[in-house]
Amino acid sequence: MPQDERHTPLKIGGLPSMRGADGIGTTDIVALALSLIWLALAGIFFAYARSGRLELGLDPLSFILVLLAVVMPVALIWVGASAAKSARIMREESARLQAAIDAMRQSYIQQQQGAGMAVRPTVEKRLEELAEAQRRTEQAIANAAGLQPEGAAPMPAPQAPPAPAADADQPTLALDTPQDLHPPLEPAEFLRALNFPETAEDREGFRALRRALEDRTTGKLVRAAQDVLTLLSQDGIYMDDLTPDRARPEIWRRFAGGERGPVIAALGGVRDRSSLALTAGRMKQDPIFRDAAHHFLRQFDRVLTEFESVATDQDLSDLADTRTARAFMLLGRVTGMFG
């Protein structure tokens, strides 16, 4: 390493470090003044003693005690000055390090926002795959239910079966809907759908997602969660990166039962400061994101109320690990929903 680089002061985030900074400060001047005052008082004392007006013993023990009485206060003064100077340097270093961390975080955020579509994260690609799969699923459901896409040739209406003889006097109304033709979601399918498929080859995940989209209530929540996760990914916020604190199942049951305030504060277990700050700023500045977030929170609250009545404690614990629930914790804490 060249000689000129070996002695270059350490820099963090473009700010020079205080290490190796020499010089006389206010603390040194005060310590020097106090030391001189004390030595002057000691000199006056000894001069007064030599004049014969005060007798001092000259034995070795007395000499050592006198020497300590003169030197110890000076040493204590400089120890205190050194401690004060070290504390001041540490405070300045801490402030500079915090400023450097903030600058690095801001630079990372700008880099994520400026990357655009050039380098898309894996989760964003998954969401796009999910959106495409959702469109194909909805198309298949529409075809199965006899609903025609635009531009397609009209299909003949199916013939209604003859009514039983006992009900011949009452006409039959064809009010069956796709919702009525599908059995209710199992808790395992519901949880898998809220976590979304892991990869494009996750067949079980896509099957659970299709079943959830066929359900009227759960389908609204899944679509709202997909919108929110896509918007959060634009700021570099991904649910897989969050590790929220776990809330006990009874806290989830209290929230589903309508309780609010400090008793359910444990649901806001997201502690990532960067994600919280970015989400709060987006809520204030982006009305589209704000509307999507509030719509998602309402849908999650409605579905949780129904799910809690049939869910076990283990089901509620598994719910907290889904991507949808993590988004709920993040947005709920930002909006102050948890007290």
Side-chain angles (χ1 to χ4, degrees):
M1 179 181 294
Q3 184 69 19
D4 56 348
E5 295 182 1
R6 191 178 303 128
H7 297 283
T8 302
L10 177 64
K11 292 186 178 181
I12 302 177
L15 299 176
S17 174
M18 290 293 294
R19 297 180 184 177
D22 298 327
I24 299 178
T26 305
T27 305
D28 298 329
I29 295 175
V30 173
L32 181 60
L34 292 176
S35 300
L36 292 177
I37 292 173
W38 173 253
L39 292 176
L41 292 175
I44 293 173
F45 174 79
F46 284 110
Y48 181 77
R50 287 185 178 180
S51 64
R53 300 177 184 177
L54 184 63
E55 296 182 0
L56 294 174
L58 298 178
D59 57 284
L61 181 60
S62 298
F63 177 77
I64 292 175
L65 292 176
V66 171
L67 181 62
L68 289 176
V70 173
V71 174
M72 284 298 293
V74 177
L76 291 176
I77 290 172
W78 284 101
V79 168
S82 177
K85 188 175 181 180
S86 299
R88 177 177 58 82
I89 293 176
M90 289 300 295
R91 286 195 300 269
E92 293 177 355
E93 286 286 351
S94 178
R96 289 172 177 267
L97 182 60
Q98 184 62 41
I101 293 174
D102 293 340
M104 292 170 63
R105 178 181 299 161
Q106 187 66 26
S107 176
Y108 172 77
I109 294 172
Q110 294 176 355
Q111 181 180 2
Q112 289 292 327
Q113 293 176 347
M117 301 299 292
V119 181
R120 294 182 298 180
T122 305
V123 176
E124 188 175 352
K125 293 181 180 178
R126 291 179 186 172
L127 291 174
E128 292 183 357
E129 294 171 355
L130 293 179
E132 181 62 27
Q134 176 182 338
R135 287 191 291 270
R136 292 197 301 266
T137 301
E138 291 177 348
Q139 182 66 31
I141 294 171
N143 293 336
L147 302 178
Q148 298 299 314
E150 295 183 2
M155 294 179 60
Q159 297 295 329
D167 299 330
D169 57 341
Q170 182 177 358
T172 301
L173 300 179
L175 296 179
D176 288 342
T177 62
Q179 174 70 17
D180 303 324
L181 301 177
H182 299 282
L185 282 174
E186 296 293 332
E189 292 179 320
F190 173 77
L191 296 174
R192 185 181 288 273
L194 292 191
N195 197 44
F196 292 98
E198 296 292 340
T199 62
E201 291 76 25
D202 186 3
R203 295 184 178 180
E204 289 297 323
F206 278 105
R207 187 184 66 81
L209 184 62
R210 287 194 297 269
R211 293 271 289 113
L213 291 172
E214 292 169 358
D215 185 88
R216 182 180 296 108
T217 304
T218 308
K220 293 179 180 179
L221 173 60
V222 170
R223 294 184 182 90
Q226 181 179 335
D227 293 340
V228 166
L229 292 178
T230 303
L231 292 172
L232 288 173
S233 68
Q234 295 175 358
D235 286 336
I237 303 174
Y238 305 103
M239 299 303 102
D240 292 343
D241 298 335
L242 301 181
T243 54
D245 297 339
R246 283 179 170 267
R248 299 189 306 274
E250 55 266 26
I251 304 298
W252 286 99
R253 295 190 187 278
R254 286 187 173 187
F255 179 81
E259 294 190 36
R260 298 294 184 268
V263 294
I264 52 94
L267 295 183
V270 177
R271 309 295 180 187
D272 188 80
R273 294 183 178 180
S274 178
S275 299
L276 291 171
L278 289 173
T279 305
R282 188 80 179 269
M283 287 286 289
K284 294 179 180 178
Q285 300 174 4
D286 189 348
I288 297 178
F289 177 81
R290 183 167 58 249
D291 293 341
H294 286 300
H295 175 68
F296 165 71
L297 293 175
R298 288 192 300 269
Q299 295 299 327
F300 190 95
D301 190 6
R302 182 179 297 108
V303 172
L304 177 63
T305 303
E306 299 178 1
F307 178 70
E308 182 271 335
S309 61
V310 298
T312 64
D313 288 349
Q314 184 60 44
D315 291 336
L316 292 175
S317 297
D318 294 340
L319 171 67
D321 288 334
T322 63
R323 295 186 178 99
T324 301
R326 292 183 181 183
F328 173 74
M329 296 178 193
L330 174 64
L331 295 173
R333 180 168 183 180
V334 170
T335 57
M337 175 181 290
F338 306 132

